[in-house]
Amino acid sequence: MTGSEQAVAVAHPNIALIKYWGKRDERLVLPCSDSLSMTLDVFPTTTSVRLDPAADADTVVMDGLPARGEPLRRMTTFLDLVRERARRHERAVVDTRNTVPVGAGLASSASGFAALALAAAGAYGLTRDPLALSRLARRGSGSAARSLFGGFVVWHAGAVDARDPDHASYAEPVTDARLDAALVVVVLEAGPKSVSSREAMRRTVATSPLHPAWVTASRADLVRMRAALRAGDLGAVGRIAEHNALGMHATMEAATPPVRYRTDASAAALDAVRGLRADGVGAWATMDAGPNVKVLCDLADADRVAERMRTVRGSRVVVARRGPGAVLRTEAA
Ligand code: PMV
Protein backbone atom coordinates (compact mmCIF):
# COMPACT_ATOMS: atom_id res chain seq x y z
CA MET A 1 0.00 0.00 0.00
CA THR A 2 1.30 3.44 -0.85
CA GLY A 3 -1.24 5.67 0.90
CA SER A 4 -1.40 6.26 4.61
CA GLU A 5 -5.06 5.12 4.32
CA GLN A 6 -6.26 7.93 6.53
CA ALA A 7 -5.52 11.65 6.49
CA VAL A 8 -6.94 14.81 8.01
CA ALA A 9 -6.56 18.22 6.37
CA VAL A 10 -7.51 21.77 7.33
CA ALA A 11 -8.12 24.55 4.77
CA HIS A 12 -9.43 28.11 4.94
CA PRO A 13 -11.72 29.96 2.52
CA ASN A 14 -10.38 32.60 0.18
CA ILE A 15 -11.97 35.72 -1.24
CA ALA A 16 -11.05 36.77 -4.77
CA LEU A 17 -9.93 40.34 -5.41
CA ILE A 18 -9.80 39.53 -9.14
CA LYS A 19 -12.68 37.14 -9.74
CA TYR A 20 -13.01 33.82 -11.47
CA TRP A 21 -16.26 33.98 -13.38
CA GLY A 22 -16.76 31.62 -16.29
CA LYS A 23 -15.26 28.33 -17.43
CA ARG A 24 -13.83 27.67 -20.86
CA ASP A 25 -13.88 23.93 -20.13
CA GLU A 26 -16.54 22.55 -17.77
CA ARG A 27 -15.08 19.07 -17.33
CA LEU A 28 -11.54 20.18 -16.50
CA VAL A 29 -12.75 23.34 -14.71
CA LEU A 30 -10.56 25.64 -16.77
CA PRO A 31 -11.41 29.32 -16.22
CA CYS A 32 -11.75 32.03 -18.85
CA SER A 33 -9.25 34.25 -17.01
CA ASP A 34 -6.69 34.36 -14.20
CA SER A 35 -7.90 35.24 -10.72
CA LEU A 36 -6.26 36.44 -7.50
CA SER A 37 -7.40 36.03 -3.91
CA MET A 38 -6.63 36.44 -0.24
CA THR A 39 -6.90 33.37 1.98
CA LEU A 40 -8.69 34.16 5.24
CA ASP A 41 -7.75 33.22 8.81
CA VAL A 42 -11.37 32.47 9.78
CA PHE A 43 -13.89 29.68 9.06
CA PRO A 44 -11.56 26.69 8.46
CA THR A 45 -12.86 23.38 7.13
CA THR A 46 -11.44 20.17 8.64
CA THR A 47 -11.84 17.02 6.58
CA SER A 48 -10.80 13.45 7.28
CA VAL A 49 -10.66 10.73 4.64
CA ARG A 50 -10.32 7.08 5.61
CA LEU A 51 -10.22 4.21 3.12
CA ASP A 52 -12.71 1.44 3.77
CA PRO A 53 -11.82 -1.69 1.75
CA ALA A 54 -15.10 -3.36 2.78
CA ALA A 55 -17.40 -0.59 1.59
CA ASP A 56 -19.01 -0.50 -1.86
CA ALA A 57 -19.86 3.23 -1.76
CA ASP A 58 -18.35 6.41 -0.33
CA THR A 59 -19.85 7.72 2.89
CA VAL A 60 -19.75 11.46 3.49
CA VAL A 61 -20.73 13.17 6.73
CA MET A 62 -20.97 16.97 6.55
CA ASP A 63 -21.23 18.88 9.81
CA GLY A 64 -22.49 15.75 11.53
CA LEU A 65 -25.15 14.82 8.98
CA PRO A 66 -24.95 12.29 6.12
CA ALA A 67 -24.46 14.12 2.78
CA ARG A 68 -27.00 13.35 0.05
CA GLY A 69 -27.96 14.59 -3.39
CA GLU A 70 -25.77 17.06 -5.23
CA PRO A 71 -23.12 17.65 -2.49
CA LEU A 72 -22.59 13.87 -2.17
CA ARG A 73 -22.46 13.44 -5.96
CA ARG A 74 -19.83 16.17 -6.33
CA MET A 75 -17.64 14.69 -3.61
CA THR A 76 -17.95 11.14 -4.96
CA THR A 77 -17.08 12.33 -8.48
CA PHE A 78 -14.05 14.03 -7.00
CA LEU A 79 -13.02 10.88 -5.10
CA ASP A 80 -13.42 8.89 -8.33
CA LEU A 81 -10.86 11.18 -9.94
CA VAL A 82 -8.47 10.68 -7.01
CA ARG A 83 -8.94 6.88 -7.22
CA GLU A 84 -8.35 6.87 -10.96
CA ARG A 85 -5.10 8.79 -10.52
CA ALA A 86 -3.96 6.66 -7.56
CA ARG A 87 -5.03 3.44 -9.33
CA ARG A 88 -6.88 2.40 -6.19
CA HIS A 89 -10.42 1.21 -5.86
CA GLU A 90 -11.27 1.42 -2.14
CA ARG A 91 -14.23 3.60 -1.20
CA ALA A 92 -13.78 6.26 1.44
CA VAL A 93 -15.37 7.45 4.65
CA VAL A 94 -15.26 11.24 4.65
CA ASP A 95 -16.04 13.48 7.60
CA THR A 96 -16.02 17.21 6.90
CA ARG A 97 -16.66 20.03 9.35
CA ASN A 98 -17.08 23.70 8.56
CA THR A 99 -16.71 26.35 11.23
CA VAL A 100 -18.45 28.96 9.17
CA PRO A 101 -21.62 30.14 10.94
CA VAL A 102 -24.30 27.78 9.66
CA GLY A 103 -25.72 28.89 6.33
CA ALA A 104 -23.60 32.02 6.19
CA GLY A 105 -23.15 31.56 2.45
CA LEU A 106 -19.40 31.98 2.64
CA ALA A 107 -16.88 30.38 0.33
CA SER A 108 -17.12 26.96 1.94
CA SER A 109 -16.69 25.14 -1.38
CA ALA A 110 -13.17 26.62 -1.65
CA SER A 111 -12.05 25.49 1.81
CA GLY A 112 -14.10 22.28 1.44
CA PHE A 113 -12.54 21.02 -1.77
CA ALA A 114 -9.05 22.22 -0.79
CA ALA A 115 -9.29 20.20 2.44
CA LEU A 116 -10.80 17.22 0.61
CA ALA A 117 -8.10 17.27 -2.08
CA LEU A 118 -5.31 17.34 0.49
CA ALA A 119 -6.85 14.69 2.76
CA ALA A 120 -7.83 12.38 -0.13
CA ALA A 121 -4.38 12.71 -1.73
CA GLY A 122 -2.88 11.79 1.65
CA ALA A 123 -5.15 8.80 2.21
CA TYR A 124 -4.81 7.41 -1.33
CA GLY A 125 -1.07 8.08 -1.55
CA LEU A 126 -1.19 10.68 -4.31
CA THR A 127 1.14 13.63 -4.78
CA ARG A 128 2.07 16.06 -2.02
CA ASP A 129 3.27 18.68 -4.49
CA PRO A 130 1.28 21.85 -3.68
CA LEU A 131 0.90 22.95 -7.31
CA ALA A 132 -0.34 19.49 -8.30
CA LEU A 133 -2.74 19.56 -5.34
CA SER A 134 -4.07 22.92 -6.48
CA ARG A 135 -4.78 21.41 -9.93
CA LEU A 136 -6.57 18.56 -8.23
CA ALA A 137 -8.63 20.83 -5.93
CA ARG A 138 -9.59 22.89 -9.00
CA ARG A 139 -11.52 19.90 -10.33
CA GLY A 140 -13.75 19.93 -7.25
CA SER A 141 -14.43 23.67 -7.25
CA GLY A 142 -12.42 26.22 -9.20
CA SER A 143 -11.83 28.60 -6.30
CA ALA A 144 -10.54 25.69 -4.16
CA ALA A 145 -7.32 25.70 -6.21
CA ARG A 146 -6.42 28.97 -4.43
CA SER A 147 -7.16 27.74 -0.87
CA LEU A 148 -4.16 25.39 -0.96
CA PHE A 149 -2.03 28.46 -0.27
CA GLY A 150 -2.01 31.19 2.35
CA GLY A 151 -1.92 34.96 1.90
CA PHE A 152 -2.37 36.33 -1.62
CA VAL A 153 -2.71 33.68 -4.31
CA VAL A 154 -2.94 33.78 -8.09
CA TRP A 155 -4.70 31.07 -10.12
CA HIS A 156 -3.40 30.85 -13.66
CA ALA A 157 -6.03 30.06 -16.27
CA GLY A 158 -3.33 28.53 -18.49
CA ALA A 159 -2.84 29.18 -22.20
CA VAL A 160 -5.80 28.22 -24.38
CA ASP A 161 -3.46 26.33 -26.72
CA ALA A 162 -1.42 24.65 -23.94
CA ARG A 163 -0.44 21.09 -24.84
CA ASP A 164 -1.67 19.91 -21.43
CA PRO A 165 -4.37 22.41 -20.35
CA ASP A 166 -4.96 20.64 -17.03
CA HIS A 167 -1.29 21.03 -16.14
CA ALA A 168 -1.23 24.69 -17.23
CA SER A 169 -3.99 25.78 -14.84
CA TYR A 170 -2.87 25.92 -11.21
CA ALA A 171 -2.60 28.32 -8.29
CA GLU A 172 0.50 29.60 -6.53
CA PRO A 173 1.29 32.17 -3.84
CA VAL A 174 1.98 35.78 -4.80
CA THR A 175 5.38 35.96 -3.14
CA ASP A 176 6.10 39.65 -3.71
CA ALA A 177 2.91 41.11 -2.16
CA ARG A 178 3.74 43.80 0.38
CA LEU A 179 0.34 44.27 1.92
CA ASP A 180 -1.27 43.21 5.16
CA ALA A 181 -4.96 43.99 4.93
CA ALA A 182 -8.18 43.00 6.66
CA LEU A 183 -11.28 41.67 4.95
CA VAL A 184 -14.36 42.53 6.96
CA VAL A 185 -16.96 39.90 6.12
CA VAL A 186 -20.53 41.22 6.20
CA VAL A 187 -23.00 38.35 6.31
CA LEU A 188 -26.40 39.59 5.19
CA GLU A 189 -28.34 36.50 4.36
CA ALA A 190 -28.17 32.98 5.70
CA GLY A 191 -30.27 31.06 3.17
CA PRO A 192 -28.86 28.95 0.33
CA LYS A 193 -28.12 30.86 -2.87
CA SER A 194 -30.86 31.00 -5.48
CA VAL A 195 -28.64 29.93 -8.39
CA SER A 196 -25.43 27.88 -7.97
CA SER A 197 -22.21 29.55 -9.12
CA ARG A 198 -21.79 26.69 -11.58
CA GLU A 199 -25.13 27.37 -13.27
CA ALA A 200 -24.72 31.15 -13.01
CA MET A 201 -21.32 31.01 -14.74
CA ARG A 202 -22.66 28.74 -17.46
CA ARG A 203 -25.54 31.12 -18.14
CA THR A 204 -23.24 34.16 -18.12
CA VAL A 205 -20.75 32.66 -20.57
CA ALA A 206 -23.53 31.41 -22.87
CA THR A 207 -25.74 34.51 -22.93
CA SER A 208 -24.20 37.67 -21.45
CA PRO A 209 -22.93 40.11 -24.08
CA LEU A 210 -20.87 41.78 -21.35
CA HIS A 211 -18.84 38.72 -20.41
CA PRO A 212 -16.14 38.90 -23.12
CA ALA A 213 -15.53 42.57 -22.28
CA TRP A 214 -15.25 41.77 -18.56
CA VAL A 215 -12.76 38.95 -19.26
CA THR A 216 -10.61 41.36 -21.28
CA ALA A 217 -10.85 44.01 -18.54
CA SER A 218 -10.10 41.40 -15.88
CA ARG A 219 -6.81 40.48 -17.54
CA ALA A 220 -5.73 44.12 -17.33
CA ASP A 221 -7.04 44.33 -13.75
CA LEU A 222 -4.83 41.40 -12.77
CA VAL A 223 -1.69 43.03 -14.12
CA ARG A 224 -2.51 46.26 -12.26
CA MET A 225 -3.45 44.32 -9.12
CA ARG A 226 -0.11 42.51 -9.03
CA ALA A 227 1.73 45.82 -9.36
CA ALA A 228 -0.40 47.37 -6.59
CA LEU A 229 0.29 44.40 -4.28
CA ARG A 230 4.02 44.69 -5.01
CA ALA A 231 3.88 48.38 -4.17
CA GLY A 232 1.82 47.75 -1.02
CA ASP A 233 -0.72 50.27 -2.36
CA LEU A 234 -3.94 49.42 -0.50
CA GLY A 235 -5.96 52.14 -2.24
CA ALA A 236 -5.11 50.80 -5.69
CA VAL A 237 -5.74 47.19 -4.58
CA GLY A 238 -9.15 48.18 -3.20
CA ARG A 239 -10.23 50.22 -6.21
CA ILE A 240 -9.22 47.48 -8.68
CA ALA A 241 -10.93 44.77 -6.58
CA GLU A 242 -14.19 46.70 -6.25
CA HIS A 243 -14.27 47.55 -9.94
CA ASN A 244 -13.57 43.92 -10.87
CA ALA A 245 -16.31 42.52 -8.60
CA LEU A 246 -18.97 45.02 -9.66
CA GLY A 247 -18.09 44.27 -13.29
CA MET A 248 -18.57 40.56 -12.63
CA HIS A 249 -22.03 41.20 -11.18
CA ALA A 250 -22.91 43.39 -14.17
CA THR A 251 -21.99 40.53 -16.55
CA MET A 252 -24.32 38.08 -14.83
CA GLU A 253 -27.15 40.60 -14.50
CA ALA A 254 -26.92 40.96 -18.28
CA ALA A 255 -27.40 37.20 -18.81
CA THR A 256 -30.66 35.65 -20.01
CA PRO A 257 -32.38 35.04 -17.68
CA PRO A 258 -30.45 37.43 -15.43
CA VAL A 259 -28.60 36.21 -12.36
CA ARG A 260 -28.98 38.69 -9.57
CA TYR A 261 -27.23 38.04 -6.25
CA ARG A 262 -27.31 41.67 -5.08
CA THR A 263 -30.17 42.40 -2.72
CA ASP A 264 -31.39 45.60 -1.07
CA ALA A 265 -29.23 44.64 1.92
CA SER A 266 -26.19 44.35 -0.39
CA ALA A 267 -26.95 47.81 -1.77
CA ALA A 268 -27.16 49.18 1.78
CA ALA A 269 -23.80 47.57 2.60
CA LEU A 270 -22.21 49.01 -0.56
CA ASP A 271 -23.59 52.44 0.42
CA ALA A 272 -22.04 52.04 3.88
CA VAL A 273 -18.66 51.32 2.25
CA ARG A 274 -19.00 54.46 0.12
CA GLY A 275 -19.95 56.34 3.28
CA LEU A 276 -16.77 55.17 4.99
CA ARG A 277 -14.72 56.43 2.05
CA ALA A 278 -16.53 59.76 2.17
CA ASP A 279 -15.43 59.96 5.81
CA GLY A 280 -11.84 59.38 4.77
CA VAL A 281 -11.58 55.69 5.71
CA GLY A 282 -9.95 53.48 3.06
CA ALA A 283 -12.56 50.73 2.50
CA TRP A 284 -13.51 48.89 -0.70
CA ALA A 285 -16.13 46.22 -1.31
CA THR A 286 -16.15 42.90 -3.09
CA MET A 287 -19.01 40.39 -3.57
CA ASP A 288 -19.25 36.79 -4.69
CA ALA A 289 -22.07 34.47 -5.74
CA GLY A 290 -24.41 35.70 -3.04
CA PRO A 291 -25.65 38.88 -1.36
CA ASN A 292 -22.87 39.09 1.26
CA VAL A 293 -20.29 41.85 1.09
CA LYS A 294 -16.61 41.74 2.05
CA VAL A 295 -14.80 44.96 2.78
CA LEU A 296 -11.07 45.35 2.22
CA CYS A 297 -9.33 47.82 4.52
CA ASP A 298 -6.19 48.53 6.47
CA LEU A 299 -5.75 46.37 9.59
CA ALA A 300 -5.70 49.56 11.67
CA ASP A 301 -9.16 50.54 10.34
CA ALA A 302 -10.78 47.10 10.67
CA ASP A 303 -12.64 47.82 13.92
CA ARG A 304 -14.01 51.10 12.64
CA VAL A 305 -15.10 49.47 9.37
CA ALA A 306 -16.69 46.57 11.24
CA GLU A 307 -18.57 48.98 13.50
CA ARG A 308 -20.02 50.86 10.52
CA MET A 309 -20.95 47.65 8.69
CA ARG A 310 -22.82 46.44 11.79
CA THR A 311 -25.21 49.35 11.27
CA VAL A 312 -26.48 47.66 8.08
CA ARG A 313 -29.76 46.08 9.09
CA GLY A 314 -29.59 42.30 9.60
CA SER A 315 -25.82 42.09 9.21
CA ARG A 316 -23.40 39.84 11.04
CA VAL A 317 -19.80 41.02 10.80
CA VAL A 318 -16.55 39.07 11.16
CA VAL A 319 -13.08 40.58 10.75
CA ALA A 320 -10.68 38.34 8.80
CA ARG A 321 -6.98 38.72 8.12
CA ARG A 322 -4.56 36.90 5.85
CA GLY A 323 -4.77 33.21 6.64
CA PRO A 324 -2.61 30.13 6.13
CA GLY A 325 -2.53 27.56 3.36
CA ALA A 326 -4.07 24.09 3.67
CA VAL A 327 -2.21 21.65 5.93
CA LEU A 328 -2.29 17.96 6.71
CA ARG A 329 -2.83 17.13 10.35
CA THR A 330 -0.65 14.34 11.60
CA GLU A 331 -3.29 13.08 13.99
CA ALA A 332 -7.00 12.75 13.50
CA ALA A 333 -8.92 15.61 15.12
O1 PMV B 1 -15.33 27.89 -7.13
P1 PMV B 1 -16.77 28.24 -7.36
O2 PMV B 1 -17.33 27.40 -8.47
O3 PMV B 1 -17.57 28.21 -6.11
O4 PMV B 1 -16.82 29.75 -7.93
C1 PMV B 1 -16.46 30.86 -7.16
C2 PMV B 1 -16.79 32.11 -7.87
C3 PMV B 1 -16.62 33.41 -7.09
O5 PMV B 1 -16.55 33.18 -5.71
C4 PMV B 1 -17.81 34.30 -7.36
C5 PMV B 1 -15.38 34.17 -7.55
C6 PMV B 1 -14.05 33.62 -7.10
O6 PMV B 1 -13.08 33.83 -7.84
O7 PMV B 1 -13.97 33.04 -6.01
Side-chain angles (χ1 to χ4, degrees), residues 52 54-60 72 76 79 83 89-93:
D52 182 355
D56 54 14
D58 295 316
T59 313
V60 179
L72 176 63
T76 302
L79 291 167
R83 280 187 282 264
H89 60 273
E90 299 94 326
R91 303 289 132 175
V93 178

Side-chain angles (χ1 to χ4, degrees), residues 14-16 18-21 23 35 74 107 109-110 141-144 146 155 193 197-198 201 248 252 287-289:
N14 70 76
I15 299 299
I18 301 292
K19 302 293 183 187
Y20 147 53
W21 196 253
K23 297 176 185 60
S35 55
R74 276 182 76 181
S109 74
S141 180
S143 57
R146 299 185 307 239
W155 170 20
K193 54 184 109 165
S197 58
R198 193 162 286 216
M201 283 187 205
M248 175 186 79
M252 62 182 101
M287 287 180 66
D288 294 287

